[in-house]
Amino acid sequence: MLNVLLLTSGNGSSPASDPFSLVLPIIFIVLIAAMWFFGGRSQRKQEKQQAEMRNNLQVGDEITTIGGIIGKVVSIKDETCVIETTRERTKIRILRTAISRVDVKAEDSID
């Protein structure tokens, strides 16, 4: 396509009057807009799923943090929660935003 643009503009016509000189920038603009739209859409969808998972967190859920710590939720406050991580019942207070995933829901676990 670039060869077509170079060949048509080299025949003495001005680039402004050449219809092919506008095609390439328009294609680039459309491609960039499509990438921005679809890329942002999937990111917003993923953020929404993460927020929903954190809002539905319950005491007793087994979770994994973004740092790789695995534990069971003991209590939940506004922006934090406390998890137990070992058989010795070591408790760690973490931010809710640090929760990567819920491995086992409280109603699914059997003690």
Side-chain angles (χ1 to χ4, degrees):
M1 178 173 251
L2 186 59
N3 290 338
V4 172
L5 291 173
L6 293 174
L7 290 175
T8 57
S9 64
N11 62 8
S13 64
S14 68
S17 65
D18 190 11
F20 290 111
S21 65
L22 297 176
V23 172
L24 195 58
I26 290 173
I27 290 174
F28 282 135
I29 290 170
V30 169
L31 285 175
I32 289 171
M35 288 172 41
W36 177 76
F37 177 75
F38 289 114
R41 186 172 157 210
S42 64
Q43 183 178 2
R44 284 188 300 271
K45 182 179 177 184
Q46 186 177 20
E47 288 172 358
K48 184 178 178 183
Q49 288 174 342
Q50 287 285 326
E52 183 179 332
M53 179 265 305
R54 291 178 182 130
N55 288 335
N56 293 332
L57 194 64
Q58 299 175 3
V59 173
D61 288 350
E62 292 183 21
I63 60 145
T64 301
T65 67
I66 57 175
I69 298 172
I70 301 170
K72 184 181 253 186
V73 177
V74 176
S75 69
I76 301 172
K77 302 245 182 189
D78 293 330
E79 295 296 319
T80 62
C81 67
V82 177
I83 61 172
E84 284 182 351
T85 59
T86 63
R87 292 183 184 192
E88 290 82 27
R89 299 185 180 254
T90 303
K91 294 181 180 172
I92 300 174
R93 187 172 142 218
I94 62 170
L95 291 173
R96 288 176 83 160
T97 56
I99 298 171
S100 173
R101 67 178 185 258
V102 175
D103 299 322
V104 180
K105 295 293 290 175
E107 60 264 7
D108 297 339
S109 68
I110 300 173
D111 290 335

